[in-house]
């Protein structure tokens, strides 16, 4: 049960926004974070880019 400490399950988009709150680009390690971030980016809430072969996200400034 490696994901028992995953706050994404409880807080969803709020957890993603908290991780990205400093405005820096971040790779989101938990699969649920990645899924939520992808949906938020498609909706236009996050910026998304590729870095070293993986997706990174940040809040739109």
């Amino acid at each position: 049960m490696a994901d028992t400490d995953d706050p994404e399950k409880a807080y969803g988009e709020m957890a993603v926004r908290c991780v990205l709150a400093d405005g820096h680009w971040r790779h989101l390690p938990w699969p649920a974070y990645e899924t939520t971030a992808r949906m938020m980016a498609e909706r236009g809430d996050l910026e998304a880019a590729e870095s070293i072969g993986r997706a990174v996200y940040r809040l739109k400034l």
Side-chain angles (χ1 to χ4, degrees):
M1 302 251 252
D3 65 342
T4 54
D5 59 348
D6 184 351
E8 169 69 10
K9 289 184 174 140
Y11 300 111
E13 288 188 17
M14 188 171 78
V16 170
R17 288 179 189 280
C18 285
V19 170
L20 301 176
D22 64 1
H24 289 96
W25 291 97
R26 291 273 186 279
H27 170 66
L28 300 174
W30 282 306
Y33 273 159
E34 181 76 21
T35 300
T36 298
R38 202 174 310 118
M39 290 179 353
M40 292 171 74
E42 286 173 8
R43 204 171 61 209
D45 293 345
L46 301 179
E47 292 184 275
E50 287 292 317
S51 176
I52 316 171
R54 59 187 188 174
V56 292
Y57 300 94
R58 73 174 179 180
L59 286 176
K60 284 191 163 185
L61 302 176

